[in-house]
Amino acid sequence: MLIDELRAEDQKKRINAVNNLGTIAIALGPERTRNELLPYILELLEDDEEVLLALSESIGNLLDHVGGPAQAEHLLRVLERLAGIEELPVREKVRILHF
């Protein structure tokens, strides 16, 4: 259900789904999170600022769900794209992430 909410028209549903990325990642497992969820998240980077802000807050919590530090490189593409977003609050959230 949360995966479907990532695609919802309603911004509040998308934000809720982004806030629950950890739950989605647990359900998918590390390999599917790396191969399916993260590429899909890259598609979300054209969304509203509020969704991107929620994503920038949630993405740092996915390290364990992608397979730990050995698989952190899979998160870098998303982080790099978020760091290049025009909205300053989004970039600031990404800048202060600590793995």
Side-chain angles (χ1 to χ4, degrees), residues 6 14-25 33 37-38 41 44 50-66 75 78-79 82 89-90 93-94 96-99:
L6 286 171
R14 291 193 314 275
I15 290 171
N16 179 56
V18 166
N19 287 334
N20 287 291
L21 284 176
T23 302
I24 296 170
T33 296
L37 182 59
L38 292 180
I41 288 172
L44 290 176
E50 291 82 9
V51 175
L52 295 174
L53 191 56
L55 180 59
S56 66
E57 292 172 352
S58 296
I59 198 73
N61 298 325
L62 291 182
L63 182 61
D64 290 334
H65 302 297
V66 297
L75 291 173
V78 177
L79 291 170
L82 282 169
V90 174
K93 287 286 183 185
V94 172
I96 61 171
L97 284 177
H98 301 284
F99 287 108

Side-chain angles (χ1 to χ4, degrees), residues 26-45:
I26 289 169
L28 293 175
E31 185 174 337
R32 287 187 66 201
T33 296
R34 291 189 303 266
N35 297 329
E36 297 173 30
L37 182 59
L38 292 180
Y40 184 75
I41 288 172
L42 286 170
E43 294 176 21
L44 290 176
L45 297 181

